[in-house]
Amino acid sequence: MDDQARTYPVTYTDAEWRQRLTPEQYRVMRAHGTERPGSCALLQEKRPGSFSCAGCGQPLFRSNRKFESGTGWPSFDDPLEGAVETTTDRSYGMVRTEVHCARCGSHLGHVFPDGPPPSFQRYCINGVAMDFHPD
Ligand SMILES: [Zn+2]
């Protein structure tokens, strides 16, 4: 989980990120924070469309992969191919799989192996890390 360890296709300096993102987005996406559950309007978003990275605009998830997990965070069972990458996150005494944007490296959330079939994956994503674009 060292963002500096590799170069992403889209890169900005820390000052540029602070300018591009809201303070809450910066806290989540660049400092590996977590939004308060139930706090993001995208949790309720049910229209057909796509969810893209708030940092670089890359499409990440389609609305038909979104499901109600009851966690308070937007949840998906599958990302768009190649849109996200994962690392092992050992913070807070837990071993979790961290999810970030494959294009700009911004932290998005975590993925857990308890989602619905057929993928059985639950991508638990911070709503502030995404923009929604209706079809
Ligand atoms: Zn991105």
Side-chain angles (χ1 to χ4, degrees):
M1 72 166 255
D2 182 6
D3 284 345
Q4 275 72 52
R6 57 156 292 187
T7 305
Y8 292 94
V10 170
T11 57
Y12 296 105
T13 65
D14 189 62
E16 287 169 333
W17 278 120
R18 287 183 186 276
Q19 206 161 41
R20 293 176 64 86
L21 303 173
T22 67
E24 172 72 351
Q25 286 176 324
Y26 182 90
R27 188 182 71 81
V28 169
M29 301 178 73
R30 306 309 304 177
H32 290 251
T34 300
E35 73 189 8
R36 199 163 44 80
S39 66
C40 184
L42 283 191
L43 183 61
Q44 313 299 338
E45 182 58 65
K46 292 188 168 56
R47 290 174 291 170
S50 57
F51 296 83
S52 62
C53 174
C56 72
Q58 165 162 269
L60 302 172
F61 299 96
R62 282 291 304 167
S63 55
N64 61 347
R65 311 313 308 226
K66 188 171 186 283
F67 68 97
E68 181 45 67
S69 64
T71 59
W73 290 285
S75 301
F76 304 86
D77 67 358
D78 229 359
L80 291 165
E81 202 178 330
V84 305
E85 295 174 345
T86 59
T87 58
T88 300
D89 176 358
R90 298 179 188 279
S91 60
Y92 302 106
M94 296 179 276
V95 179
R96 294 178 296 170
T97 303
E98 183 269 351
V99 178
H100 58 270
C101 174
R103 192 153 166 255
C104 72
S106 292
H107 173 66
L108 302 171
H110 291 86
V111 58
F112 302 93
D114 58 9
S119 75
F120 300 100
Q121 300 293 302
R122 172 170 60 89
Y123 285 80
C124 186
I125 305 299
N126 291 286
V128 294
M130 300 183 295
D131 290 320
F132 178 71
H133 305 278
D135 286 347

Coordinates of all heavy atoms in Angstrom, one line a residue, residues 55-100:
G55 N -11.0 11.3 -8.9 CA -9.7 11.8 -9.1 C -9.3 12.0 -10.5 O -8.6 13.0 -10.8
C56 N -9.7 11.1 -11.4 CA -9.2 11.1 -12.7 C -10.3 10.9 -13.8 O -10.0 11.0 -15.0 CB -8.0 10.1 -13.0 SG -8.6 8.4 -13.0
G57 N -11.5 10.6 -13.4 CA -12.6 10.4 -14.3 C -12.7 9.0 -15.0 O -13.6 8.8 -15.7
Q58 N -11.8 8.1 -14.6 CA -11.9 6.8 -15.2 C -13.1 6.1 -14.7 O -13.4 6.0 -13.5 CB -10.7 6.0 -14.8 CG -10.8 4.5 -15.1 CD -9.6 3.7 -15.1 OE1 -9.0 3.6 -16.1 NE2 -9.1 3.2 -13.9
P59 N -13.9 5.5 -15.6 CA -15.1 4.7 -15.2 C -14.6 3.5 -14.4 O -13.7 2.8 -14.8 CB -15.7 4.2 -16.6 CG -15.2 5.2 -17.6 CD -13.8 5.6 -17.1
L60 N -15.3 3.2 -13.3 CA -14.9 2.2 -12.4 C -15.9 1.0 -12.3 O -15.6 -0.1 -12.3 CB -14.7 2.7 -11.0 CG -13.7 3.9 -10.8 CD1 -13.7 4.4 -9.4 CD2 -12.3 3.4 -11.1
F61 N -17.2 1.4 -12.1 CA -18.3 0.4 -11.9 C -19.5 0.8 -12.7 O -19.8 2.0 -12.9 CB -18.7 0.4 -10.4 CG -17.6 0.0 -9.5 CD1 -16.9 1.0 -8.8 CD2 -17.3 -1.3 -9.2 CE1 -15.9 0.6 -7.9 CE2 -16.3 -1.7 -8.3 CZ -15.6 -0.7 -7.7
R62 N -20.2 -0.2 -13.2 CA -21.5 0.0 -13.8 C -22.6 -0.1 -12.8 O -22.5 -0.9 -11.8 CB -21.8 -1.0 -15.0 CG -21.0 -0.7 -16.2 CD -21.5 0.5 -17.0 NE -23.0 0.4 -17.2 CZ -23.7 1.4 -17.6 NH1 -23.2 2.6 -17.8 NH2 -25.0 1.2 -17.9
S63 N -23.7 0.6 -13.0 CA -24.8 0.6 -12.0 C -25.4 -0.8 -11.8 O -25.9 -1.1 -10.8 CB -25.9 1.6 -12.4 OG -26.3 1.4 -13.7
N64 N -25.3 -1.6 -12.9 CA -26.0 -2.9 -12.8 C -25.2 -3.9 -11.9 O -25.6 -5.0 -11.6 CB -26.2 -3.6 -14.1 CG -24.9 -3.8 -14.9 OD1 -23.9 -3.3 -14.6 ND2 -25.0 -4.5 -16.0
R65 N -24.0 -3.4 -11.4 CA -23.2 -4.3 -10.5 C -23.3 -3.8 -9.1 O -22.6 -4.3 -8.2 CB -21.7 -4.3 -10.9 CG -21.4 -4.6 -12.4 CD -22.1 -5.8 -12.9 NE -22.0 -6.9 -12.1 CZ -21.7 -8.1 -12.6 NH1 -21.6 -8.3 -13.8 NH2 -21.7 -9.2 -11.8
K66 N -24.1 -2.7 -8.9 CA -24.3 -2.2 -7.5 C -25.4 -2.9 -6.8 O -26.3 -3.3 -7.4 CB -24.7 -0.7 -7.7 CG -24.7 0.1 -6.4 CD -24.9 1.6 -6.7 CE -24.9 2.5 -5.5 NZ -26.1 2.4 -4.7
F67 N -25.2 -3.2 -5.5 CA -26.2 -3.8 -4.7 C -26.2 -3.2 -3.3 O -25.3 -2.5 -2.9 CB -26.0 -5.3 -4.7 CG -24.7 -5.8 -3.9 CD1 -24.8 -6.2 -2.6 CD2 -23.5 -5.8 -4.5 CE1 -23.7 -6.6 -1.9 CE2 -22.3 -6.2 -3.8 CZ -22.4 -6.6 -2.5
E68 N -27.3 -3.4 -2.7 CA -27.5 -2.9 -1.3 C -26.9 -3.9 -0.3 O -27.4 -5.0 -0.1 CB -29.0 -2.7 -1.1 CG -29.3 -2.1 0.3 CD -28.4 -0.9 0.7 OE1 -28.5 0.1 0.0 OE2 -27.5 -1.1 1.6
S69 N -25.8 -3.5 0.3 CA -25.1 -4.4 1.2 C -25.5 -4.2 2.6 O -25.2 -5.0 3.5 CB -23.6 -4.2 1.1 OG -23.3 -2.9 1.5
G70 N -26.2 -3.1 2.9 CA -26.6 -2.8 4.3 C -25.5 -2.2 5.1 O -25.6 -2.0 6.3
T71 N -24.3 -1.9 4.5 CA -23.1 -1.4 5.3 C -23.1 0.1 5.4 O -22.5 0.6 6.2 CB -21.8 -1.8 4.6 OG1 -21.8 -1.2 3.2 CG2 -21.7 -3.3 4.5
G72 N -23.9 0.8 4.5 CA -23.8 2.2 4.5 C -22.8 2.8 3.5 O -22.7 4.0 3.4
W73 N -22.2 1.9 2.8 CA -21.3 2.4 1.7 C -21.8 1.7 0.4 O -22.3 0.6 0.3 CB -19.8 1.9 1.9 CG -19.2 2.6 3.0 CD1 -18.7 3.9 3.0 CD2 -18.9 2.1 4.3 NE1 -18.1 4.2 4.3 CE2 -18.2 3.1 5.1 CE3 -19.1 0.8 5.0 CZ2 -17.8 2.9 6.4 CZ3 -18.7 0.7 6.3 CH2 -18.1 1.7 7.0
P74 N -21.6 2.5 -0.7 CA -22.0 2.0 -2.0 C -21.2 0.7 -2.3 O -20.0 0.6 -2.0 CB -21.5 3.0 -3.0 CG -21.5 4.3 -2.2 CD -21.1 3.9 -0.8
S75 N -21.9 -0.4 -2.7 CA -21.2 -1.7 -2.8 C -21.5 -2.3 -4.2 O -22.6 -2.1 -4.8 CB -21.8 -2.7 -1.8 OG -21.5 -2.2 -0.5
F76 N -20.5 -2.9 -4.8 CA -20.6 -3.5 -6.1 C -20.0 -4.9 -6.1 O -19.1 -5.2 -5.2 CB -19.7 -2.7 -7.1 CG -20.1 -1.2 -7.1 CD1 -19.5 -0.3 -6.2 CD2 -21.0 -0.7 -8.1 CE1 -19.9 1.1 -6.2 CE2 -21.3 0.6 -8.1 CZ -20.8 1.5 -7.2
D77 N -20.5 -5.8 -7.0 CA -19.9 -7.1 -7.0 C -18.8 -7.3 -8.0 O -18.2 -8.4 -8.0 CB -21.1 -8.2 -7.1 CG -21.7 -8.2 -8.5 OD1 -21.4 -7.3 -9.3 OD2 -22.6 -9.0 -8.7
D78 N -18.6 -6.3 -8.8 CA -17.6 -6.5 -9.9 C -17.2 -5.1 -10.4 O -18.1 -4.3 -10.8 CB -18.1 -7.4 -11.0 CG -17.1 -8.5 -11.4 OD1 -16.0 -8.5 -10.7 OD2 -17.4 -9.2 -12.3
P79 N -15.9 -4.8 -10.6 CA -15.5 -3.5 -11.2 C -15.5 -3.7 -12.7 O -15.5 -4.8 -13.2 CB -14.1 -3.3 -10.7 CG -13.6 -4.6 -10.4 CD -14.8 -5.5 -10.1
L80 N -15.4 -2.6 -13.5 CA -15.1 -2.7 -14.9 C -13.7 -3.3 -15.1 O -12.8 -3.0 -14.2 CB -15.2 -1.3 -15.5 CG -16.6 -0.8 -15.6 CD1 -16.6 0.7 -15.9 CD2 -17.4 -1.5 -16.7
E81 N -13.5 -4.0 -16.2 CA -12.2 -4.7 -16.3 C -11.0 -3.7 -16.4 O -11.1 -2.8 -17.1 CB -12.3 -5.5 -17.6 CG -11.3 -6.7 -17.6 CD -11.3 -7.5 -18.9 OE1 -12.4 -7.6 -19.5 OE2 -10.3 -8.0 -19.2
G82 N -10.1 -4.0 -15.5 CA -8.8 -3.2 -15.5 C -9.0 -1.9 -14.8 O -8.0 -1.1 -14.8
A83 N -10.1 -1.6 -14.2 CA -10.4 -0.2 -13.7 C -9.7 0.0 -12.3 O -9.4 1.1 -12.0 CB -11.9 0.1 -13.6
V84 N -9.7 -1.1 -11.6 CA -9.1 -1.0 -10.2 C -8.0 -2.0 -10.0 O -7.9 -3.0 -10.7 CB -10.2 -1.2 -9.1 CG1 -11.4 -0.2 -9.3 CG2 -10.7 -2.6 -9.0
E85 N -7.2 -1.7 -9.0 CA -6.1 -2.6 -8.5 C -6.3 -2.8 -7.0 O -6.9 -2.0 -6.4 CB -4.8 -2.1 -8.9 CG -4.5 -1.9 -10.3 CD -3.2 -1.2 -10.6 OE1 -2.6 -0.6 -9.7 OE2 -2.7 -1.3 -11.8
T86 N -5.7 -3.8 -6.5 CA -5.8 -4.1 -5.1 C -4.4 -4.2 -4.4 O -3.5 -4.6 -5.1 CB -6.6 -5.3 -4.8 OG1 -6.0 -6.5 -5.4 CG2 -8.1 -5.2 -5.3
T87 N -4.4 -3.9 -3.1 CA -3.2 -4.2 -2.3 C -3.6 -4.7 -1.0 O -4.8 -4.6 -0.6 CB -2.3 -2.9 -2.1 OG1 -3.2 -2.0 -1.4 CG2 -1.8 -2.3 -3.4
T88 N -2.7 -5.3 -0.3 CA -3.0 -5.8 1.0 C -2.8 -4.7 2.1 O -1.8 -4.1 2.1 CB -2.1 -7.0 1.4 OG1 -2.3 -8.1 0.4 CG2 -2.4 -7.6 2.8
D89 N -3.9 -4.5 2.8 CA -3.9 -3.4 3.8 C -3.9 -4.0 5.2 O -4.8 -4.7 5.6 CB -5.2 -2.6 3.6 CG -5.4 -1.5 4.6 OD1 -4.6 -1.4 5.6 OD2 -6.4 -0.8 4.5
R90 N -2.8 -3.8 6.0 CA -2.7 -4.4 7.3 C -2.9 -3.4 8.4 O -2.5 -3.6 9.6 CB -1.3 -5.0 7.4 CG -1.1 -6.2 6.5 CD 0.3 -6.8 6.6 NE 0.5 -7.8 5.5 CZ 0.1 -9.0 5.5 NH1 -0.6 -9.4 6.5 NH2 0.3 -9.8 4.5
S91 N -3.5 -2.2 8.1 CA -3.8 -1.2 9.1 C -4.8 -1.6 10.1 O -5.7 -2.5 9.8 CB -4.1 0.1 8.4 OG -5.3 0.0 7.7
Y92 N -4.9 -1.0 11.2 CA -5.9 -1.2 12.3 C -5.9 -2.7 12.7 O -7.0 -3.2 13.1 CB -7.3 -0.8 11.8 CG -7.4 0.6 11.3 CD1 -7.4 1.0 10.0 CD2 -7.4 1.6 12.3 CE1 -7.4 2.3 9.6 CE2 -7.4 3.0 11.9 CZ -7.4 3.3 10.6 OH -7.5 4.6 10.2
G93 N -4.8 -3.4 12.6 CA -4.7 -4.8 13.1 C -5.6 -5.8 12.4 O -5.9 -6.9 12.8
M94 N -6.0 -5.4 11.1 CA -6.8 -6.3 10.3 C -6.0 -6.5 9.0 O -5.2 -5.7 8.6 CB -8.1 -5.6 9.9 CG -9.0 -5.4 11.1 SD -10.6 -4.6 10.5 CE -10.1 -2.9 10.5
V95 N -6.3 -7.6 8.3 CA -5.8 -7.8 7.0 C -6.9 -7.7 6.0 O -7.9 -8.5 6.0 CB -5.1 -9.2 6.8 CG1 -4.6 -9.4 5.4 CG2 -4.0 -9.4 7.8
R96 N -6.9 -6.6 5.3 CA -8.0 -6.4 4.3 C -7.4 -6.1 2.9 O -6.2 -5.9 2.8 CB -8.8 -5.1 4.7 CG -9.5 -5.3 6.0 CD -10.3 -4.0 6.4 NE -9.3 -2.9 6.7 CZ -9.7 -1.6 6.8 NH1 -10.9 -1.3 6.8 NH2 -8.7 -0.7 7.1
T97 N -8.2 -6.2 1.9 CA -7.8 -5.9 0.6 C -8.2 -4.6 0.2 O -9.4 -4.3 0.0 CB -8.3 -7.0 -0.4 OG1 -7.9 -8.3 0.1 CG2 -7.7 -6.8 -1.8
E98 N -7.2 -3.7 0.0 CA -7.5 -2.3 -0.4 C -7.7 -2.2 -1.9 O -7.1 -2.9 -2.7 CB -6.3 -1.5 0.1 CG -6.4 0.0 -0.1 CD -5.8 0.5 -1.5 OE1 -5.2 -0.3 -2.2 OE2 -6.1 1.7 -1.8
V99 N -8.6 -1.3 -2.3 CA -9.0 -1.1 -3.7 C -8.6 0.3 -4.1 O -9.0 1.3 -3.4 CB -10.5 -1.3 -3.9 CG1 -10.8 -1.1 -5.4 CG2 -10.9 -2.7 -3.5
H100 N -7.9 0.5 -5.2 CA -7.6 1.8 -5.7 C -7.7 1.9 -7.2 O -7.8 0.9 -7.9 CB -6.2 2.3 -5.2 CG -5.1 1.3 -5.7 ND1 -4.6 0.3 -5.0 CD2 -4.4 1.3 -6.9 CE1 -3.7 -0.3 -5.7 NE2 -3.5 0.3 -6.8

